[in-house]
Amino acid sequence: MTWNIGGKSVQSRLLLGTARYPSPQIMRQSIASSGSEIITVSLRRESVGQHNGNRFWDYIKASNAHILPNTAGCHSVKEVITTAHMARDLFDTNWIKVEVIGHDDTLQPDVFGLVEATKILIEDGFEVFPYTTEDLVVAQRLVDLGCRIIMPWGSPIGTGKGLRYIESLKSMRHRLPDVNLIVDAGIGKPSHACQAMELGFDGVLLNTAVATAVDPETMATAFGKAVEAGRQAYQAGLMQSSDRAIPSTPLVGKPFWHENPL
């Protein structure tokens, strides 16, 4: 089923990063295997090998995917704004994933800088994909500024711990029913991605779990299937848990056999 995101229509709800792959060729194969139609690119990334930089950009341009530039590595609003304008000129898109790093060790977003930068960029015509924490108040503030997309973390970047803030994520989904919510960061296994989709989230963005796998292409395929399965399960209506056992075979109409007393 078509997903409308940021003014564009796509089929896949998996967004894939382009960093840390062993080679540009493996990156290209992984993107294709995942089925992802949106890939995120950092202008601050280092080329994969001295002689692979040009091939990286060639593969990005030839992927036919929608490019979501990001401001990874930025620590201030000024850096974010400068990077966003460079990205718009380079990729000819008004999409920008806004990251403002607040702490070097945890890579936790600076939500105050995020809100400030988002306000400036929206006023300048950008479609902002803000990377934030699980905080509902921050998410609502971003929506009030005009964001149609919110990207809360599942857990800190690169940890692979999955969804550590499940109750907060559930609350965000419940409180913001008309906003595209994409779980971004901390996804380490296909089951984590499936779980996010089962909660009703609209998409999942990940990078490290695919790029650093022993077989990135196969892992990318697994994540693509997991996102699709989680979405289908959510739409079908998940079984509610119960504190007591409930027989799968009802007793109504069940014949009872009695021994002949004779």
Side-chain angles (χ1 to χ4, degrees), residues 12-28:
S12 174
R13 292 172 180 266
L14 173 62
L15 291 74
L16 200 61
T18 55
R20 301 189 64 181
Y21 290 88
S23 71
Q25 176 69 16
I26 292 176
M27 177 197 70
R28 183 182 70 170

Side-chain angles (χ1 to χ4, degrees), residues 142-206:
L142 292 166
V143 171
D144 292 343
L145 289 175
C147 285
R148 300 183 294 173
I149 302 149
I150 305 292
M151 305 181 75
W153 63 358
S155 52
I157 294 173
T159 62
K161 292 183 178 294
L163 307 187
R164 293 180 61 185
Y165 316 107
I166 291 179
E167 294 306 318
S168 296
L169 292 174
K170 285 181 179 179
S171 178
M172 189 180 294
R173 176 71 288 175
H174 175 71
R175 298 285 183 176
L176 302 174
D178 300 322
V179 177
N180 272 304
L181 297 180
I182 300 169
V183 172
D184 179 11
I187 300 296
K189 304 174 183 177
S191 57
H192 295 160
C194 186
Q195 182 183 24
M197 299 304 293
E198 287 176 349
L199 292 179
F201 278 74
D202 298 285
V204 171
L205 191 155
L206 58 97

Side-chain angles (χ1 to χ4, degrees), residues 14-241:
L14 173 62
L15 291 74
L16 200 61
T18 55
R20 301 189 64 181
Y21 290 88
S23 71
Q25 176 69 16
I26 292 176
M27 177 197 70
R28 183 182 70 170
Q29 293 169 343
S30 298
I31 293 171
S33 296
S34 73
S36 177
E37 298 166 75
I38 300 175
I39 56 177
T40 182
V41 179
S42 171
L43 267 67
R44 289 171 170 260
R45 73 174 300 280
E46 295 182 7
S47 297
V48 185
Q50 183 177 0
H51 302 293
N52 287 329
N54 290 335
R55 281 202 297 155
F56 171 84
W57 293 111
D58 288 342
Y59 286 152
I60 289 296
K61 294 173 183 177
S63 69
N64 294 320
H66 299 293
I67 306 299
L68 173 59
N70 68 61
T71 64
C74 292
H75 289 75
S76 69
V77 172
K78 182 179 180 180
E79 283 183 289
V80 167
I81 302 304
T82 300
T83 302
H85 282 87
M86 290 173 57
R88 183 162 63 180
D89 292 341
L90 179 61
F91 296 109
D92 191 26
T93 179
N94 70 332
W95 281 12
I96 189 71
K97 177 189 169 185
V98 175
E99 301 180 34
V100 189
I101 299 301
H103 192 280
D104 285 333
D105 291 334
T106 64
L107 300 180
Q108 180 165 334
D110 173 359
V111 295
F112 303 102
L114 174 65
V115 170
E116 182 182 349
T118 296
K119 182 177 186 297
I120 294 170
L121 291 172
I122 286 179
E123 290 175 349
D124 199 23
F126 283 89
E127 181 76 62
V128 176
F129 292 59
Y131 168 62
T132 183
T133 66
E134 78 285 1
D135 192 308
L136 179 59
V137 174
V138 175
Q140 185 62 63
R141 183 66 60 85
L142 292 166
V143 171
D144 292 343
L145 289 175
C147 285
R148 300 183 294 173
I149 302 149
I150 305 292
M151 305 181 75
W153 63 358
S155 52
I157 294 173
T159 62
K161 292 183 178 294
L163 307 187
R164 293 180 61 185
Y165 316 107
I166 291 179
E167 294 306 318
S168 296
L169 292 174
K170 285 181 179 179
S171 178
M172 189 180 294
R173 176 71 288 175
H174 175 71
R175 298 285 183 176
L176 302 174
D178 300 322
V179 177
N180 272 304
L181 297 180
I182 300 169
V183 172
D184 179 11
I187 300 296
K189 304 174 183 177
S191 57
H192 295 160
C194 186
Q195 182 183 24
M197 299 304 293
E198 287 176 349
L199 292 179
F201 278 74
D202 298 285
V204 171
L205 191 155
L206 58 97
N207 186 171
T208 306
V210 169
T212 63
V214 174
D215 183 346
E217 186 176 352
T218 299
M219 186 62 75
T221 300
F223 269 107
K225 292 178 178 179
V227 167
E228 183 178 354
R231 180 64 180 179
Q232 289 179 349
Y234 172 73
Q235 292 179 316
L238 294 167
M239 174 183 174
Q240 299 299 308
S241 61

Side-chain angles (χ1 to χ4, degrees), residues 4 10-11 52:
N4 296 312
V10 296
Q11 299 295 321
N52 287 329

